[in-house]
Amino acid sequence: MNAQTMAQRAYAENALSTRTDRSIEYELFARVTHRIKAAAEAGKIAYPRLVQALYDNQKLWTALAIDVADPGNRLSPELRAQIFYLAEFTQVHTGKVLARKARLAPLLEVNAAIMRGLSAGGTKR
């Protein structure tokens, strides 16, 4: 192993250890939101990709709902309730989107709002 490879490996390990929960959550929301947008923009041919991206978005929101429902969560009760409500909204609205009874835009707007909040810093869990 040469010095450059060792340096790259050491930097990568350090970069991973300095990531915050907020940055990880932001990245997860950014990835799934991008996948939803890309599949939607690709049209009917990409419908299976859209369904998978929406399913992954629901899994992300479910994990977030479980996290804020935990009594040990350090967010304020008001913020926890708001996040839980958004998780419920996301679940219901996704079903409507898949049934072609609602637009996709509100899901993207909710995710974008969460990403703005995560990038703004502030409260830690």
Side-chain angles (χ1 to χ4, degrees):
M1 181 178 311
N2 66 27
Q4 182 179 3
T5 303
M6 289 173 47
Q8 287 174 335
R9 199 172 274 171
Y11 175 77
E13 289 172 8
N14 190 35
L16 287 176
S17 69
T18 60
R19 292 179 63 189
T20 65
D21 290 345
R22 293 178 79 85
S23 68
I24 293 167
E25 289 172 348
Y26 180 93
E27 184 177 328
L28 289 170
F29 271 102
R31 283 183 187 178
V32 76
T33 303
H34 173 74
R35 288 179 44 226
I36 293 169
K37 284 181 187 178
E41 290 170 356
K44 292 180 182 181
I45 192 129
Y47 187 73
R49 283 191 347 215
L50 176 62
V51 171
Q52 184 61 53
L54 289 172
Y55 173 72
D56 291 343
N57 191 54
Q58 284 184 307
K59 287 191 330 186
L60 177 58
W61 276 102
T62 298
L64 204 56
I66 291 168
D67 186 42
V68 297
D70 183 330
N73 186 293
R74 294 182 300 203
L75 294 175
S76 71
E78 297 81 16
L79 182 56
R80 290 170 56 194
Q82 290 170 346
I83 291 170
F84 195 87
Y85 168 79
L86 288 174
E88 288 179 322
F89 169 82
T90 299
Q91 300 297 330
V92 171
H93 196 79
T94 298
K96 291 178 182 177
V97 168
L98 291 172
R100 300 180 194 265
K101 294 181 180 180
R103 294 178 344 107
L104 190 59
L107 295 174
L108 297 173
E109 291 167 6
V110 167
N111 282 12
I114 292 296
M115 291 182 342
R116 281 191 302 274
L118 289 169
S119 68
T123 310
K124 291 186 178 181
R125 284 183 207 193

